[in-house]
C-alpha cells in the first residue's frame, strides 16, 4: 500500500512521462465504482475492508440511495512499480444512459480508458456506446472483465465452461472494435479516392480492382483485446482480487521451468501442456485435455472458492500456507465466507496491482498524444487542419511536446463546470488551532464571563460605565479575531451567513500544454470563437497586454483565481499545475457556461465540441409555488444549466420556463438539484411536455376495415364533403390535386403552393446533415449581406457535393425531376427536415446558387420579396395546422408566383410620380433644383433593378391600408402552406425510444405485457449464450415511457431493467380526423365511432396544453348518464 500525500502528488505531477489520465467506462451496474474503490484503497484513502461498500466516488446522496453514479469525478492516485513511480488521474464515470453526457466530458480529458464488462451480462448496449465514444475521441482502451465470482457462485460454471464464456465475451468486444476500425479505414479510403479524382495525375490503373487494399494493408492487431497482449485483466472487485496472465506466467515459469515469454503467448488460447515431456502443444495433438488457462489458473481459483464456501478448514489452511499468506484470526473465524475469500485473494492476487500495472504499461502518457487526435481537437466545425491560419497550425507542436517551459503556450480545456458547496473549498475548511490561538480564545471567554457577572451585580448604577467598558473591550476583542482571519484560521464567522450556503463552481479541466499558474491572465475562448477573425483585427506580432486588445466576439480575458487538485470528495489547493494533469479551476463561473478552451495565445482555436450520445428529449415546465419567488427560480435555473453538461433551459413563447433533460432519472436529479441546491425553494412541475411532429402521407389505398377505397357503398359522403368545404375559407382556390392558390390582401401578388410528402430516406438525410445545411445558410447570408467571406475550403465543397448527390439519388422519378436544383430553402429555422421548392417560371432562386458564385441580377431582383416567401414557409414549417408542432418530411412546391399586377401598379406609380415631378418643376424655383437632383440620383442609381424599385413604391402607396407588402407575402405564404397541408392526409409523428431490456426467461411474459400496454413494439429477442438471460430490443413512444422503468421493475420483481435511448421519429398510422364513411365502417366501429384513436388523443392533449380549440363534447354519452354513487 502506498500512502498518498499532497507533496508527493505535486512532485509526481512534474514528471509528465509517468502521468496516466484514465477514465472507467462501462454499462450501468458492471462495477466501475467498486473497482475505483479498490484502486483508491491501495493509496490508503479508504480502508480495503470498505472497498465496494463505501462507493467513495459517489459523493451525492441520491447516488448512494439509487446505487448508480450520476456524475464523473476525478481522483489522483500514486502507484509504484519497481523503481518507477506513477501518478494515475482516475475519473469514474456514470454507466446509466441518461448521464452519457458526463462520459463525454470525462473521455475528452483522458488519454486512455478502462472498459469494464460484467462476466455474466457480457457486452451491453451502453458498453457499445462508451466504446464508440472512446474511439471517436481517439483514446486507447484496456479491458477489465469483472464479477468473475458470479460465474462460480451464481451460474455454477465449471472452469472449462467459464473459459469458453470468457472467450465468447472477448470475441464480442473485439467484433465491436473491428466494426469501428473497418468503418474508419473505409472512410479514409473514400477520402483518398475523392482526392485522386481531383488530382488525375495519380496512378489510377492499380486501384480499380484493389477493393480491400485499405483493410489488408492496415495493421490493426494492437487494437484488439487479448490477455496475451497484456491489455485484459480478469477481476472480482467486490472480493478484491484480479489478475493478468503475466502474474501467473512469472509463477509457473519458475515452477514448471518453461520460459516466461512462451507461457505469456500460450496461457490464453487452445494450448495444452504435456507434463511428461514438459512441452506445450496445440489442440489437435492432445484431444480432451484442458487448456492452460483452465488447468493452471481457473482451477486454482475455483478450488479456493469451493473450499471456503464448503467451510473446509483443512483445505483452506493448506491453500494459505502453500501460497505463503498470513490471514488474521478475525477473518479466519468469520462466519461470512466472502470475508475469508477477500482476505485470502486480496493478498494473493491484489486487484489494484493488476489493474494499475496494466494501465501504466499499456496506456499512453500525455506525451504520447497522436498527431491525428491533436488535429481533430483543433478543427472545430467542418474545417480541415490545413485551412487553419499558420499561427494556429504552429500550436500543434506545443500540443505534441506538452512542454512546461515558460515560453510554452498555456492551453487548457474545460470539459464541464461542477458545483460544490462553498464550505468544501480548501480556504473555507476549519483547520486545527495553534496553542496561542487557544490561549487567546480562553482569555476572551474569561473577559466575557467577567463582564456578564459585573452586569448582573449592579445593572442600574453601572449602566453607563458598562457601556463604556463594552465599547473599550470590543476593539481589543475584535483585533485578534481579525489577525486570526488573516492568518487563515477558524474565525467564528469567516463569511457572512448568506454566502456560506452558496454553491461555488469549479471547472473540471486538463492542461494540454504549458504550466497553469495561479493569478495568470488567460483568454477564455467560447465554442464559436474564430482565431481567423482575431488575426484579421489585430496586426501580426502584437505585444499589447491582454486587457488592451480590441474586443473580439466569443473571447474574454480573466485570471486563474484558484487551482485545485481533485481528490474525489476533497479538494486540495495548488499553486501551479504542470502540463498533462487534470485539475479544478475556481473563479470561472462568470466566463464559462458549460465548456471552453483557455489559452494564453488568442491564435488557438476552440476545441471541437463534445459529442453527446444522449439527446435531451424529456421536457417539463417549472414554476415556483409562490409567484413572488420567480427571480430566485430563474437564477437557480441558470446555475443548474451551468452545472449540468446535458440539460437545456428554455423560455417558451408562452412564457413557461422549460427544463429539457435526457430521461426520467436525469430529470429527477435536475429537479432535486433545483429544489435543494440552486433555487432552494418549493417548485411545481408540469406533466412532461411530449414533442410531436406533423407530416402528410400518400392517400391510403384501403380504409379502416381493409377494404379497397372506391369499391364500397358510401353512406356519409355528403356529410363528409360538407365538413371538408367548411374548413377552407373564401379566397382560397383548391385544385383537385391539392394545389392551393391564394392572393395577398391587396390583390397584387398571387401564390400557388402544393404540399408533397418527402421519401423517408430524404427526411433522414436532411436530419443527419443539419449542421452542413446550417453552414451553407450562414455562408449565403453573409454573402448577401456583402461581407468579405472566404469561399468554402475543398473538403466542405466535397461534402456539399456529396450531400446534393445523395439527395438526387433519392429524389428520382418524373415527379421529382430537377427538384434538387430548385430547392429554395430548408425549414424550420433554415436547417430542418422540410424543403421549399421553387418551380415558378419568373424567378429561379436556389439554395445552391450562393455557394458557387454571386447571384445574378435576375435572382437578386426578386430577393427582397423572395425572402418574405421563405419567411412564410419557415413560419408554416415551425407550427403545423394540427397542433402547432413543427413539420417533418414535407416538401412545399411553389408552382406559380404571379407579380404581374404588382409590376403594373409599380409602372403606373412611376408615371404618376414623373407627372407630379413635372408639375413641381414648373411651380418651384431654387429649392426645386436640389430636390430634382436627388430624384435624378435616385433614378440613376436604381435604373437597373426597376422592378425592385416599383414594389417599394407600391408598398409605400399601400402601407396605410394593408401594411407593407413583405408582411402580406409572409402571411399569405404561411396560410397557403397550411391549407396545402390540410387538403392532404395529415398524420402525427411520435418520438420513439429504443428500449433494451435484459430479463430472465421466467419474467418474459410480464415484460411483454408492460410493453404492449404502452404501445411498444418488439423488434428482436435473443438469448445470451451460456445464461438464461434474454435481450429484448423494442421501440416505445416517448409519450408512453414515463414510469415505464419503475413499472417493469415492479412487475418483474427487479429482474428486468430497461435502457431507453432516443432513436427516431415514427408516423402514427391512424388518422386523427377520421370519421366512418362506409357501411362496413359503421358496422365495425358503431355509429359514433367513439373508440378514440391514439393520434387523436395525442393531438387533443397537445392542443389543450397550448390553449387551442379542442373539438370535444362535454357530455360524451347522454343516454348513459347515471349517478356514479348512490346514497345507501
Amino acid at each position: 500500500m502506498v500512502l498518498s500525500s499532497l507533496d508527493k502528488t505535486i512532485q509526481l505531477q512534474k514528471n509528465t512521462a509517468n502521468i496516466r489520465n484514465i477514465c472507467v467506462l462501462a454499462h450501468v451496474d458492471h462495477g466501475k465504482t467498486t473497482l475505483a474503490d479498490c484502486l483508491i484503497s491501495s493509496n490508503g484513502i479508504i480502508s480495503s475492508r470498505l472497498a465496494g461498500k463505501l462507493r467513495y466516488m459517489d459523493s451525492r446522496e441520491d447516488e448512494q440511495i439509487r446505487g448508480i453514479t450520476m456524475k464523473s469525478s476525478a481522483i489522483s492516485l500514486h502507484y509504484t512499480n519497481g523503481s518507477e513511480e506513477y501518478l494515475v488521474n482516475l475519473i469514474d464515470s456514470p454507466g446509466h444512459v441518461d448521464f452519457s453526457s458526463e462520459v463525454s466530458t470525462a473521455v475528452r480529458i483522458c488519454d486512455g480508458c478502462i472498459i469494464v464488462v460484467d462476466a455474466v451480462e457480457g457486452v451491453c448496449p451502453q458498453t457499445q456506446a462508451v466504446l464508440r465514444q472512446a474511439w471517436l475521441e481517439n483514446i486507447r482502451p484496456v479491458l477489465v472483465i469483472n464479477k468473475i465470482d458470479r460465474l462460480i457462485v451464481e451460474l455454477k460454471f465449471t472452469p472449462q465452461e467459464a473459459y469458453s464464456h470468457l472467450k465468447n465475451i472477448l470475441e464480442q468486444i473485439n467484433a465491436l472494435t473491428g466494426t469501428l476500425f473497418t468503418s474508419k479505414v473505409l472512410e479514409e479510403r473514400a477520402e483518398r479516392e475523392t482526392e485522386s479524382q481531383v488530382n488525375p495525375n495519380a496512378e489510377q490503373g492499380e486501384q480499380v480492382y484493389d477493393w480491400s487494399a485499405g483493410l489488408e494493408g492496415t495493421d490493426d492487431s494492437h487494437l484488439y483485446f487479448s490477455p496475451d497482449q497484456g491489455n485484459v485483466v480478469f477481476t472480482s472487485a467486490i472480493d478484491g482480487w484480479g489478475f493478468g496472465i503475466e502474474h501467473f506466467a512469472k509463477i509457473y515459469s519458475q515452477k514448471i521451468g518453461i520460459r516466461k515469454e512462451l507461457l505469456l503467448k500460450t496461457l490464453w488460447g487452445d494450448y495444452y501442456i504435456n507434463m511428461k515431456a514438459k512441452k506445450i502443444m496445440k489442440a489437435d495433438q492432445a484431444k480432451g485435455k484442458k487448456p492452460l488457462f483452465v488447468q493452471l489458473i481457473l482451477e486454482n481459483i475455483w478450488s479456493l472458492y469451493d473450499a471456503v464456501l464448503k467451510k473446509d478448514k483443512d483445505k483452506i489452511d493448506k491453500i494459505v500456507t502453500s501460497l505463503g499468506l498470513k490471514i488474521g484470526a478475525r477473518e479466519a473465524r468469520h462466519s461470512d465466507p466472502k470475508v475469508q475469500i477477500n482476505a485470502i485473494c486480496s493478498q494473493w492476487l491484489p486487484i489494484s496491482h493488476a489493474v494499475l500495472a496494466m494501465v501504466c504499461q499499456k496506456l499512453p502518457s500525455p506525451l504520447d498524444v497522436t498527431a491525428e487526435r491533436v488535429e481533430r481537437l483543433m478543427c472545430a466545425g467542418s474545417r480541415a487542419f490545413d485551412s487553419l491560419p499558420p499561427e494556429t497550425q504552429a500550436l500543434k507542436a506545443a500540443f505534441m511536446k506538452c512542454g512546461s517551459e515558460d515560453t510554452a503556450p498555456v492551453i487548457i480545456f474545460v470539459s464541464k463546470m461542477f458545483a460544490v458547496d462553498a464550505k468544501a473549498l480548501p480556504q473555507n475548511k476549519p483547520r486545527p488551532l495553534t496553542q496561542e490561538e487557544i490561549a487567546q480564545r480562553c482569555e476572551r471567554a474569561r473577559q466575557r464571563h467577567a463582564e456578564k457577572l459585573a452586569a448582573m451585580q449592579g445593572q442600574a448604577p453601572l449602566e453607563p460605565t458598562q457601556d463604556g467598558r463594552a465599547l473599550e473591550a470590543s476593539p481589543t476583542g475584535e483585533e485578534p479575531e481579525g489577525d486570526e482571519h488573516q492568518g487563515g484560521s477558524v474565525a467564528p464567522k469567516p463569511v457572512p451567513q448568506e454566502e456560506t450556503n452558496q454553491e461555488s463552481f469549479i471547472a473540471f479541466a486538463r492542461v494540454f500544454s504549458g504550466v497553469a499558474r495561479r493569478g495568470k491572465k488567460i483568454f477564455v475562448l467560447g465554442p464559436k470563437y474564430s482565431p481567423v477573425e482575431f488575426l484579421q483585427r489585430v496586426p501580426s506580432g502584437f505585444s499589447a497586454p491582454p486587457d488592451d486588445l480590441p474586443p473580439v466576439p466569443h473571447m474574454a480575458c480573466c485570471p486563474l483565481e484558484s487551482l485545485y487538485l481533485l481528490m474525489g470528495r476533497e479538494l486540495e489547493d495548488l499553486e501551479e499545475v504542470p502540463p498533462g494533469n487534470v485539475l479544478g479551476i475556481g473563479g470561472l463561473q462568470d466566463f464559462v457556461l458549460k465548456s471552453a478552451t483557455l489559452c494564453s495565445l488568442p491564435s488557438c482555436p476552440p476545441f471541437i465540441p463534445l459529442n453527446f450520445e444522449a439527446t435531451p428529449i424529456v421536457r417539463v415546465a417549472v414554476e415556483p409555488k409562490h409567484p413572488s419567488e420567480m427571480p430566485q427560480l430563474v437564477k437557480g435555473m441558470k446555475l443548474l444549466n451551468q452545472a449540468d453538461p446535458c440539460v437545456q433551459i428554455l423560455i417558451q413563447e408562452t412564457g413557461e420556463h422549460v427544463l429539457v433533460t435526457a430521461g426520467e432519472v436525469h430529470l429527477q436529479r435536475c429537479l432535486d438539484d433545483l429544489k435543494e441546491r440552486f433555487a432552494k425553494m418549493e417548485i411545481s412541475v408540469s406533466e412532461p411536455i411530449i414533442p410531436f411532429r406533423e407530416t402528410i402521407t400518400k392517400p391510403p389505398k384501403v380504409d379502416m376495415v381493409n377494404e379497397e377505397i372506391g369499391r364500397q357503398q358510401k353512406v356519409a359522403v355528403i356529410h363528409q364533403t360538407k365538413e371538408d368545404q367548411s374548413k377552407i375559407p373564401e379566397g382560397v382556390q383548391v385544385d383537385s390535386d391539392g394545389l392551393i392558390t391564394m392572393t395577398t390582401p391587396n390583390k397584387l401578388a398571387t401564390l400557388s403552393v402544393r404540399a408533397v410528402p418527402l421519401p423517408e430516406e430524404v427526411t433522414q438525410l436532411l436530419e443527419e446533415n443539419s449542421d452542413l445545411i446550417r453552414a451553407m445558410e450562414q455562408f449565403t447570408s453573409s454573402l448577401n449581406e456583402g461581407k468579405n467571406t472566404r469561399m468554402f475550403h475543398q473538403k466542405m465543397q466535397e461534402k456539399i457535393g456529396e450531400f446534393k448527390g445523395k439527395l438526387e439519388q433519392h429524389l428520382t422519378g418524373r415527379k421529382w425531376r430537377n427538384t434538387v436544383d430548385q430547392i429554395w430553402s430548408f425549414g424550420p429555422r433554415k436547417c430542418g427536415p422540410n424543403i421549399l421548392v421553387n418551380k415558378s417560371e419568373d424567378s429561379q432562386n436556389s439554395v445552391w446558387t450562393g455557394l458557387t458564385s454571386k447571384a445574378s441580377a435576375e435572382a437578386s431582383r426578386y430577393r427582397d420579396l423572395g425572402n418574405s416567401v421563405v419567411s412564410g414557409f419557415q413560419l408554416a414549417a415551425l407550427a403545423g395546422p394540427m397542433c402547432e408542432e413543427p413539420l417533418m418530411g414535407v416538401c412545399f412546391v411553389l408552382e406559380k408566383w404571379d407579380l404581374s399586377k404588382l409590376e403594373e401598379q409599380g409602372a403606373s406609380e412611376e408615371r404618376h410620380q414623373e407627372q407630379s415631378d413635372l408639375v413641381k418643376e414648373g411651380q418651384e424655383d431654387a429649392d426645386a433644383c436640389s430636390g430634382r437632383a436627388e430624384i435624378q440620383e435616385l433614378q440613376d442609381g436604381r435604373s437597373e433593378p426597376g422592378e425592385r424599385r416599383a414594389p417599394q413604391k407600391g408598398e409605400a402607396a399601400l402601407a396605410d391600408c394593408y401594411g407593407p407588402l413583405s408582411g402580406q407575402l409572409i402571411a399569405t405564404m404561411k396560410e397557403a402552406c397550411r391549407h396545402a397541408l390540410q387538403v392532404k392526409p395529415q398524420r402525427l409523428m411520435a418520438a420513439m425510444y429504443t428500449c433494451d431490456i435484459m430479463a430472465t426467461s421466467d419474467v418474459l411474459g410480464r415484460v411483454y405485457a408492460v410493453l404492449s400496454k404502452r404501445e411498444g413494439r418488439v423488434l428482436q429477442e435473443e438469448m445470451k449464450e451460456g445464461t438464461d438471460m434474454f435481450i429484448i430490443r423494442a421501440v416505445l413512444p416517448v409519450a408512453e415511457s414515463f414510469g415505464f422503468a419503475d413499472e417493469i421493475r415492479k412487475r418483474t420483481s427487479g429482474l428486468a431493467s430497461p435502457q431507453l435511448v432516443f432513436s427516431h421519429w415514427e408516423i402514427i398510422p391512424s388518422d386523427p380526423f377520421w370519421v366512418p364513411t362506409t357501411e362496413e365502417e359503421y358496422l365495425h366501429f358503431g355509429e359514433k365511432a367513439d373508440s378514440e384513436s391514439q393520434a387523436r388523443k395525442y393531438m387533443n392533449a397537445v392542443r389543450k396544453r397550448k390553449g387551442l380549440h379542442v373539438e370535444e363534447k362535454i357530455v360524451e354519452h347522454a343516454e348513459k348518464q347515471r349517478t356514479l354513487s348512490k346514497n345507501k
Side-chain angles (χ1 to χ4, degrees):
M1 183 187 283
V2 188
L3 292 175
S4 63
S5 69
L6 183 60
D7 298 334
K8 185 73 183 168
T9 306
I10 291 169
Q11 185 191 331
L12 288 170
Q13 280 188 340
K14 289 172 184 163
N15 183 4
T16 315
N18 282 7
I19 295 172
R20 299 288 182 272
N21 295 317
I22 58 160
C23 52
V24 190
L25 309 176
H27 187 81
V28 68
D29 284 336
H30 278 201
K32 294 178 295 302
T33 309
T34 307
L35 175 67
D37 268 10
C38 295
L39 302 184
I40 294 164
S41 69
S42 71
N43 270 224
I45 297 169
I46 62 170
S47 155
S48 56
R49 284 182 193 158
L50 289 175
K53 301 177 186 75
L54 187 64
R55 302 209 312 278
Y56 182 75
M57 299 298 267
D58 290 354
S59 53
R60 291 171 58 100
E61 194 182 342
D62 47 1
E63 287 180 318
Q64 291 287 349
I65 292 166
R66 278 183 185 268
I68 59 170
T69 307
M70 293 187 184
K71 56 159 191 358
S72 44
S73 42
I75 192 163
S76 296
L77 303 175
H78 174 204
Y79 171 67
T80 310
N81 190 5
S83 60
E84 290 287 320
E85 289 189 310
Y86 294 93
L87 178 69
V88 178
N89 292 319
L90 178 79
I91 303 175
D92 184 25
S93 67
H96 196 285
V97 67
D98 282 12
F99 305 106
S100 60
S101 57
E102 292 279 349
V103 176
S104 306
T105 62
V107 165
R108 169 58 59 88
I109 58 178
C110 291
D111 301 307
C113 63
I114 301 175
I115 306 276
V116 182
V117 176
D118 186 327
V120 174
E121 292 183 7
V123 178
C124 291
Q126 207 54 25
T127 316
Q128 299 179 19
V130 293
L131 201 58
R132 187 166 58 251
Q133 275 176 301
W135 180 268
L136 288 173
E137 284 287 349
N138 260 347
I139 68 169
R140 196 181 299 169
V142 290
L143 181 66
V144 168
I145 298 181
N146 193 19
K147 304 193 183 184
I148 304 271
D149 59 299
R150 287 182 69 190
L151 301 179
I152 309 170
V153 180
E154 284 179 31
L155 300 184
K156 298 194 165 39
F157 278 180
T158 62
Q160 183 70 46
E161 287 168 341
Y163 168 67
S164 54
H165 182 73
L166 293 171
K167 210 163 127 188
N168 195 3
I169 289 174
L170 262 176
E171 277 170 17
Q172 287 176 6
I173 294 178
N174 285 334
L176 267 177
T177 311
T179 52
L180 291 167
F181 171 71
T182 310
S183 62
K184 182 193 171 192
V185 169
L186 293 176
E187 269 174 33
E188 284 175 0
R189 191 161 173 275
E191 277 176 24
R192 279 202 300 277
E193 272 180 12
T194 50
E195 280 169 24
S196 64
Q197 284 167 9
V198 174
N199 310 328
N201 307 333
E203 295 174 23
Q204 290 185 343
E206 294 174 20
Q207 294 184 354
V208 178
Y209 301 104
D210 194 9
W211 57 272
S212 61
L215 286 173
E216 285 175 358
T218 318
D219 177 33
D220 59 345
S221 57
H222 64 282
L223 295 173
Y224 297 114
F225 300 107
S226 174
D228 54 357
Q229 280 192 24
N231 60 0
V232 180
V233 162
F234 303 93
T235 67
S236 166
I238 200 78
D239 288 343
W241 60 266
F243 64 89
I245 58 170
E246 193 179 347
H247 176 80
F248 282 98
K250 203 184 286 179
I251 295 170
Y252 285 113
S253 66
Q254 293 164 359
K255 275 196 174 182
I256 305 171
I258 296 175
R259 278 183 302 117
K260 183 184 164 186
E261 291 76 24
L262 183 64
L263 275 172
L264 270 174
K265 284 180 185 169
T266 54
L267 263 175
W268 179 263
D270 295 330
Y271 296 99
Y272 304 83
I273 191 162
N274 184 337
M275 291 304 280
K276 286 178 186 172
K278 289 272 176 83
K279 277 186 179 176
I280 291 171
M281 299 177 178
K282 282 287 279 182
D284 51 352
Q285 292 176 352
K287 291 272 168 68
K289 290 280 185 87
K290 295 169 187 168
L292 281 174
F293 190 74
V294 173
Q295 192 179 350
L296 302 182
I297 301 174
L298 293 186
E299 284 187 347
N300 291 323
I301 295 170
W302 256 246
S303 62
L304 169 64
Y305 267 81
D306 188 52
V308 174
L309 292 171
K310 286 181 179 170
K311 299 193 175 173
D312 185 343
K313 199 168 185 309
D314 300 337
K315 195 174 178 184
I316 294 170
D317 292 343
K318 191 180 171 187
I319 290 170
V320 169
T321 46
S322 66
L323 291 171
L325 310 175
K326 286 183 181 175
I327 303 299
R330 179 182 170 278
E331 280 85 4
R333 285 200 305 271
H334 208 287
S335 58
D336 184 3
K338 283 275 181 190
V339 173
Q340 286 187 323
I341 287 172
N342 197 324
I344 297 167
C345 291
S346 58
Q347 289 182 52
W348 176 36
L349 303 168
I351 184 171
S352 57
H353 176 74
V355 174
L356 292 174
M358 171 175 72
V359 162
C360 295
Q361 284 165 21
K362 294 294 166 189
L363 294 183
S365 75
L367 293 173
D368 304 329
V369 64
T370 59
E372 185 186 4
R373 186 177 184 205
V374 172
E375 286 184 17
R376 279 208 50 194
L377 286 177
M378 291 173 78
C379 298
S382 43
R383 294 193 69 129
F385 183 73
D386 307 334
S387 71
L388 292 169
E391 293 94 335
T392 304
Q393 291 191 35
L395 289 172
K396 180 181 168 185
F399 260 103
M400 304 285 288
K401 192 181 174 198
C402 205
S404 56
E405 311 86 38
D406 291 342
T407 52
V410 179
I411 304 171
I412 302 170
F413 181 72
V414 175
S415 72
K416 68 166 185 172
M417 301 291 285
F418 65 97
V420 293
D421 195 343
K423 290 177 192 167
L425 296 177
Q427 61 263 33
N428 297 341
K429 273 188 189 167
R431 68 172 180 76
L433 298 170
T434 60
Q435 287 298 320
E436 295 81 31
E437 287 166 349
I438 292 169
Q440 280 179 349
R441 290 203 169 187
C442 288
E443 185 58 40
R444 215 175 309 135
R446 217 174 277 127
Q447 266 184 5
R448 278 201 297 272
H449 185 63
E451 283 170 17
K452 208 180 277 180
L453 283 174
M456 283 167 68
Q457 282 168 10
Q459 272 178 350
L462 287 172
E463 208 167 328
T465 55
Q466 188 217 335
D467 273 355
R469 272 170 66 191
L471 283 166
E472 282 166 22
S474 66
T476 54
E478 294 280 329
E479 256 180 324
E481 208 167 311
D483 291 345
E484 274 175 36
H485 189 51
Q486 283 164 6
S489 80
V490 188
K493 286 185 185 175
V495 275
Q497 195 57 39
E498 294 80 41
E499 286 180 30
T500 50
N501 299 331
Q502 263 189 356
E503 293 292 333
S504 199
F505 277 91
I506 289 176
F508 190 65
R510 171 179 166 180
V511 185
F512 280 90
S513 162
V515 180
R517 289 188 174 84
R518 184 189 289 197
K520 184 181 171 66
K521 281 274 175 81
I522 202 155
F523 294 106
V524 179
L525 315 176
K528 291 183 182 175
Y529 169 75
S530 165
V532 181
E533 201 169 332
F534 175 82
L535 294 166
Q536 282 171 358
R537 291 190 185 202
V538 180
S540 57
F542 68 92
S543 58
D547 301 336
D548 300 344
L549 287 174
V552 178
H554 311 293
M555 182 177 92
C557 183
C558 77
L560 296 174
E561 273 183 28
S562 38
L563 307 176
Y564 300 111
L565 174 70
L566 304 170
M567 291 296 289
R569 302 178 186 191
E570 307 289 321
L571 295 167
E572 300 286 353
D573 256 328
L574 295 174
E575 282 302 317
E576 61 173 43
V577 179
N581 283 292
V582 174
L583 78 160
I585 307 173
L588 289 180
Q589 61 251 52
D590 299 333
F591 299 94
V592 178
L593 179 62
K594 289 176 189 269
S595 66
T597 309
L598 312 181
C599 186
S600 57
L601 293 179
S603 55
C604 176
F607 280 20
I608 186 168
L610 298 165
N611 54 333
F612 294 143
E613 287 280 317
T615 317
I617 192 89
V618 181
R619 298 165 173 246
V620 290
V622 290
E623 60 183 28
K625 282 271 168 70
H626 309 293
S628 60
E629 292 176 329
M630 195 67 190
Q632 199 179 331
L633 175 71
V634 173
K635 194 175 166 190
M637 286 178 86
K638 277 183 185 164
L639 293 175
L640 173 68
N641 186 31
Q642 197 168 10
D644 193 303
C646 190
V647 78
Q648 290 176 10
I649 308 289
L650 311 170
I651 298 178
Q652 292 199 319
E653 295 89 346
T654 51
E656 289 175 302
H657 287 75
V658 174
L659 212 60
V660 193
T661 58
E664 262 191 290
V665 184
H666 186 212
L667 172 66
Q668 197 53 54
R669 189 194 82 169
C670 288
L671 292 174
D672 289 347
D673 275 357
L674 201 56
K675 283 179 199 166
E676 290 158 24
R677 296 180 68 183
F678 301 125
K680 293 188 177 139
M681 56 191 276
E682 284 300 308
I683 54 174
S684 48
V685 183
S686 73
E687 285 296 303
I689 300 168
I690 300 131
F692 289 98
R693 296 283 181 268
E694 297 182 27
T695 190
I696 51 172
T697 56
K698 290 174 182 169
K701 295 208 168 55
V702 292
D703 66 5
M704 293 289 278
V705 284
N706 286 347
E707 292 229 352
E708 202 174 330
I709 289 173
R711 302 244 174 126
Q712 326 92 322
Q713 188 182 351
K714 292 271 180 179
V715 174
V717 179
I718 306 155
H719 170 70
Q720 177 81 352
T721 48
K722 273 183 187 168
E723 264 194 13
D724 282 350
Q725 282 167 359
S726 65
K727 273 186 196 172
I728 294 157
E730 53 184 293
V732 179
Q733 297 169 25
V734 186
D735 288 8
S736 56
D737 60 347
L739 182 71
I740 298 283
T741 307
M742 275 185 82
T743 310
T744 52
N746 60 9
K747 303 286 186 282
L748 291 183
T750 309
L751 301 169
S752 297
V753 181
R754 175 185 283 115
V756 188
L758 281 172
E760 207 173 305
E761 306 84 41
V762 176
T763 312
Q764 211 172 333
L765 188 66
L766 292 174
E767 281 220 282
E768 285 164 8
N769 290 287
S770 61
D771 291 340
L772 185 66
I773 297 168
R774 196 178 284 119
M776 282 160 53
E777 167 55 36
Q778 283 168 357
F779 183 79
T780 40
S781 64
S782 57
L783 261 185
N784 293 345
E785 287 165 17
K787 283 186 187 169
N788 181 23
T789 311
R790 288 166 62 187
M791 284 303 288
F792 273 136
H793 51 267
Q794 189 64 35
K795 204 172 179 185
M796 193 67 166
Q797 290 278 25
E798 282 167 18
K799 276 188 180 175
I800 292 170
E802 193 184 327
F803 169 57
K804 193 177 175 184
K806 280 183 185 170
L807 277 177
E808 281 166 349
Q809 195 180 320
H810 292 307
L811 294 173
T812 50
R814 190 172 56 80
K815 189 173 72 171
W816 298 108
R817 191 177 296 142
N818 298 333
T819 300
V820 177
D821 293 322
Q822 294 167 337
I823 293 175
W824 194 358
S825 179
F826 300 92
R829 299 191 179 90
K830 302 207 173 175
C831 60
N834 306 288
I835 56 177
L836 173 64
V837 174
N838 184 6
K839 288 199 174 175
S840 65
E841 290 158 17
D842 306 329
S843 135
Q844 288 301 320
N845 207 337
S846 161
V847 79
W848 317 106
T849 50
L851 301 174
T852 49
S853 61
K854 285 269 184 187
S856 61
E858 176 80 22
S860 61
R861 183 172 74 184
Y862 283 104
R863 191 189 293 143
D864 284 2
L865 297 178
N867 284 347
S868 299
V869 173
V870 170
S871 299
F873 156 71
Q874 298 292 348
L875 287 172
L878 194 59
M882 273 200 283
C883 49
E884 304 287 330
E885 289 287 299
L887 300 183
M888 190 171 192
V890 182
C891 168
F892 290 106
V893 183
L894 184 65
E895 297 277 356
K896 205 167 75 188
W897 183 19
D898 187 9
L899 297 172
S900 53
K901 287 182 184 173
L902 180 64
E903 286 170 8
E904 284 169 25
Q905 171 91 6
S908 65
E909 285 283 324
E910 212 169 292
R911 284 198 297 277
H912 179 70
Q913 184 72 27
E914 281 170 14
Q915 284 170 7
S916 63
D917 284 354
L918 287 168
V919 172
K920 279 180 189 172
E921 231 171 80
Q923 286 174 352
E924 295 174 3
D925 11 74
D927 292 60
C929 295
S930 59
R932 194 165 65 251
E934 279 171 23
I935 292 162
Q936 191 60 44
E937 267 176 43
L938 195 132
Q939 285 178 343
D940 291 347
R942 298 268 176 103
S943 58
E944 268 189 343
E947 289 84 352
R948 189 172 162 187
R949 191 181 81 234
Q952 285 181 338
K953 289 182 179 174
E955 275 180 42
L958 293 150
D960 303 334
C961 181
Y962 294 109
L965 180 68
S966 54
Q968 293 177 49
L969 269 174
I970 291 173
T972 309
M973 182 65 185
K974 182 187 169 190
E975 287 306 310
C977 290
R978 286 176 82 111
H979 290 311
L981 280 173
Q982 284 172 315
V983 295
K984 292 288 169 90
Q986 297 179 80
R987 294 288 183 272
L988 265 186
M989 293 182 88
M992 304 297 277
Y993 277 139
T994 43
C995 170
D996 292 290
I997 306 169
M998 291 190 72
T1000 49
S1001 51
D1002 45 345
V1003 295
L1004 269 187
R1006 295 175 206 166
V1007 170
Y1008 278 117
V1010 176
L1011 273 170
S1012 59
K1013 176 183 152 191
R1014 290 174 174 263
E1015 309 284 334
R1017 194 174 73 248
V1018 176
L1019 301 177
Q1020 66 179 67
E1021 83 168 35
E1022 55 183 46
M1023 193 172 186
K1024 262 203 179 292
E1025 271 183 64
T1027 65
D1028 64 341
M1029 299 290 278
F1030 278 85
I1031 300 174
I1032 301 157
R1033 179 154 254 225
V1035 287
L1036 181 80
V1038 172
E1040 302 289 339
S1041 69
F1042 301 102
F1044 173 72
D1046 287 342
E1047 187 178 356
I1048 273 211
R1049 276 197 208 98
K1050 281 174 193 163
R1051 293 288 296 276
T1052 61
S1053 312
L1055 291 171
S1057 56
Q1059 285 269 94
L1060 297 171
V1061 187
F1062 175 70
S1063 163
H1064 63 286
W1065 295 91
E1066 195 173 279
I1067 296 177
I1068 301 170
S1070 56
D1071 181 359
F1073 300 110
W1074 177 80
V1075 288
T1077 59
T1078 66
E1079 217 169 279
E1080 289 85 356
E1081 285 177 347
Y1082 264 121
L1083 287 168
H1084 192 276
F1085 291 100
E1087 200 175 327
K1088 294 191 174 58
D1090 47 18
S1091 55
E1092 191 177 30
S1093 74
Q1094 195 71 12
R1096 192 175 185 82
K1097 188 176 84 180
Y1098 290 150
M1099 182 182 80
N1100 284 346
V1102 176
R1103 288 186 76 89
K1104 267 184 194 166
R1105 177 170 60 77
K1106 292 187 173 179
L1108 303 169
H1109 170 65
V1110 179
E1111 283 181 27
E1112 268 186 331
K1113 295 173 188 168
I1114 295 170
V1115 177
E1116 279 291 335
H1117 310 291
E1119 68 273 17
K1120 291 182 187 171
Q1121 287 291 305
R1122 61 188 183 276
T1123 51
L1124 294 174
S1125 61
K1126 292 176 181 176
N1127 294 325
K1128 290 177 183 175

